[in-house]
Every structure is written in C-alpha cells, then in structure tokens.
C-alpha cells in the first residue's frame, strides 16, 4: 500500500494531491460538522519546528500537514519518497471558500491588519456571494485575549481562516480549537493580503517553473533573510538521509 505520509525532519506530510485533500476535508469534516486542524507547511515552518520543540508539539496536534512550498517537494525527492505534488495554501483556501459558497457554509476570518482584512472581506463577498461570512477580526490582539474565540464559540463557523503568521497562527489554533464544538481551522499566513489585493500571486508561468517564492521576494525584498532558510533546510534534509 502506498504510504499516506512522508516524514521530513520529524514532520509527517500528507502524501495526497490537492484535490484529494479538499475532498477528504469536505466529506469527513466540513460536511459532517467536525473539527480539523490543517497546517500548510513550507521549509520555514519545518525549520521553526526543528529548533522549537513546543512548536513541533503544536504541529503534532494537526490533522493534516500539507506541503506548501516547492522546497518540501524537493526534499521528499531527495529522500527518495516523493510527494505527489505541492499543495499551495492559497489554493487550498480558495477551494474551501468555493465549497463554502456552494454549500452556504459559515466562515470566520482571524488576522491581518484591519484595513487589509476589510478589503479582503469586500472581495470575498463579491466573489462568493452565497458564502455565509459569520465574522472576522484583525490580528492585533493579545494571545491570552479570549474575545475572538468567544465570538467563534458563539457563531459556530464551519471554516476558520487564521492569518496570524507562523508560528503564532498554529499555536493559536492548537490552544483554542479544543474550546469550540466544530470548525475546520487552517493557518493561511499572508493569503489574506492576496485576497485583499495588497499582494499579487505569481503568474502561472512563475508557478509552473517553481519560482513563486522568488516572485514574492521581488514584491517584498525585506523577506530575503527568511529565504535563507530554504538552502539550510535542504542541507539538513540531505544530512538526515539514511
């Protein structure tokens, strides 16, 4: 039987296509009103977990960890256990929003600056008019502030998009998901900025040649130090090979 997971530096990546992930989450969780914790992990997240055991524990609580980052896919090939494909977090989020629109599901959004969040909400309402946007809140609140999770408890969304950045968003989900009855929680990082039109996603050609990361670097040159994690990650994977 084909392995369902590929282990990369102690992180078990789900070895499924994007379409399979979407179908599994919809039929097993969203449709059934069950809870799930989804992590879209790139090399930066893996390396963060490698140096922070508490964060590694947070990731161990996830129901799905998908390979968002071509570096993770390259790493799986280096280990001779290739993942089926990259599962971009932005595309996964779009698929869930489309399903929420089709099935009139409730969605709640946490994170980003208020003005960016307002723009994203406006664009979501225009693109997904049948989606039930149950609420949203900017990301500028203390981690021990229960205001947001109390509102989520009250409105009972089916899907919760959390854009607080890594590792804060994953830690927030791990800490607060047990407090609610239902909901698929997914960390979406900077995807709200793209939904708001504040950032542009790379054109299809850049995506196909696996240079989406470089396109984002051109938009945000200040990210260059963060990009240094990719070669460090690949070297660590190479060293760890049996």
């Amino acid at each position: 039987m084909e392995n369902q997971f590929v282990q990369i530096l102690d992180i078990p990546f789900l070895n499924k296509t994007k379409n399979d992930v979407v179908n599994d989450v919809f039929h097993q969780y969203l449709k059934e009103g069950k809870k799930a914790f989804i992590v879209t992990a790139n090399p930066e997240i893996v390396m963060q977990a490698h140096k922070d055991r508490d964060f590694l524990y947070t990731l161990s609580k996830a129901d799905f960890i998908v390979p968002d980052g071509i570096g993770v896919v390259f790493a799986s090939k280096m280990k001779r256990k290739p993942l089926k494909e990259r599962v971009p977090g932005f595309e996964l989020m779009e698929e869930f929003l489309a399903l929420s629109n089709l099935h009139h599901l409730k969605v709640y959004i946490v994170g980003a600056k208020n003005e960016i969040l307002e723009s994203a909400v406006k664009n979501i309402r225009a693109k997904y008019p049948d989606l039930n946007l149950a609420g949203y809140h900017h990301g500028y609140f203390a981690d021990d502030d229960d205001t947001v999770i109390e509102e989520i408890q009250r409105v009972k969304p089916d899907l919760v998009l959390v854009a607080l950045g890594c590792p804060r968003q994953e830690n927030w989900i791990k800490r607060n998901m047990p407090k609610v009855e239902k909901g698929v929680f997914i960390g979406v990082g900077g995807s709200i900025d793209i939904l708001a039109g504040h950032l542009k996603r790379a054109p299809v050609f850049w995506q196909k040649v696996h240079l989406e990361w470089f396109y984002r670097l051109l938009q945000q040159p200040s990210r260059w130090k963060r990009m240094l994690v990719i070669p460090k990650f690949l070297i660590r994977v190479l060293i760890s090979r049996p």
Side-chain angles (χ1 to χ4, degrees):
M1 180 182 289
E2 190 174 29
N3 288 334
Q4 190 176 355
F5 299 94
V6 173
Q7 196 89 3
I8 300 175
L9 298 183
D10 299 325
I11 306 298
F13 282 91
L14 187 64
N15 190 19
K16 292 191 175 185
T17 65
K18 181 186 71 177
N19 288 340
D20 285 341
V21 174
V22 171
N23 287 332
D24 287 352
V25 172
F26 176 68
H27 289 289
Q28 296 175 28
Y29 297 91
L30 283 171
K31 194 175 178 181
E32 298 296 322
K34 295 181 179 178
K35 294 192 290 186
F37 174 13
I38 303 173
V39 174
T40 61
N42 56 20
E44 189 175 0
I45 286 181
V46 176
M47 293 298 280
Q48 177 70 26
H50 193 73
K51 67 181 182 181
D52 181 349
R53 305 306 289 184
D54 289 337
F55 185 52
L56 181 61
Y57 176 73
T58 289
L59 297 188
S60 75
K61 296 299 180 181
D63 297 284
F64 299 88
I65 300 179
V66 299
D68 177 12
I70 194 61
V72 175
V73 177
F74 284 158
S76 71
K77 292 178 180 178
M78 288 166 60
K79 290 176 66 68
R80 301 182 185 89
K81 296 178 181 178
L83 289 159
K84 291 181 184 297
E85 65 181 23
R86 179 187 169 215
V87 182
F90 182 78
E91 293 179 14
L92 204 56
M93 180 187 68
E94 282 198 313
E95 293 280 359
F96 290 144
L97 288 174
L99 282 170
S100 299
N101 185 65
L102 183 63
H103 297 277
H104 312 290
L105 302 179
K106 287 184 179 181
V107 178
Y108 194 98
I109 306 172
V110 183
K113 294 179 180 178
N114 197 54
E115 59 271 24
I116 289 175
L117 182 56
E118 291 285 351
S119 296
V121 165
K122 181 181 177 181
N123 292 339
I124 288 170
R125 283 176 168 155
K127 187 173 182 179
Y128 308 102
D130 294 325
L131 175 153
N132 183 350
L133 189 57
Y136 55 94
H137 196 287
H138 62 75
Y140 292 80
F141 58 90
D143 288 341
D144 60 356
D145 184 345
D146 288 334
T147 303
V148 176
I149 196 62
E150 286 172 358
E151 186 174 5
I152 290 173
Q153 288 171 329
R154 181 177 60 81
V155 300
K156 295 179 173 58
D158 301 287
L159 176 67
V160 183
L161 306 177
V162 185
L164 299 174
C166 167
R168 188 186 175 207
Q169 62 192 16
E170 288 79 19
N171 287 331
W172 187 88
I173 293 171
K174 188 264 292 183
R175 185 170 58 253
N176 289 289
M177 203 174 82
K179 302 174 184 176
V180 301
E181 298 175 14
K182 60 181 290 189
V184 170
F185 287 68
I186 177 171
V188 296
S191 293
I192 300 302
D193 293 77
I194 299 175
L195 281 177
H198 181 68
L199 290 176
K200 292 183 179 180
R201 196 174 178 209
V204 174
F205 171 77
W206 289 67
Q207 295 176 40
K208 286 184 175 180
V209 296
H210 309 309
L211 286 175
E212 192 169 1
W213 61 272
F214 186 63
Y215 185 87
R216 188 166 183 187
L217 180 61
L218 293 177
Q219 291 189 86
Q220 296 177 297
S222 60
R223 291 174 60 91
W224 73 269
K225 287 185 179 179
R226 292 173 61 179
M227 295 296 181
L228 294 176
V229 76
I230 297 175
K232 292 178 181 178
F233 164 75
L234 293 174
I235 290 170
R236 193 169 290 276
V237 170
L238 186 62
I239 293 172
S240 71
R241 284 198 316 177

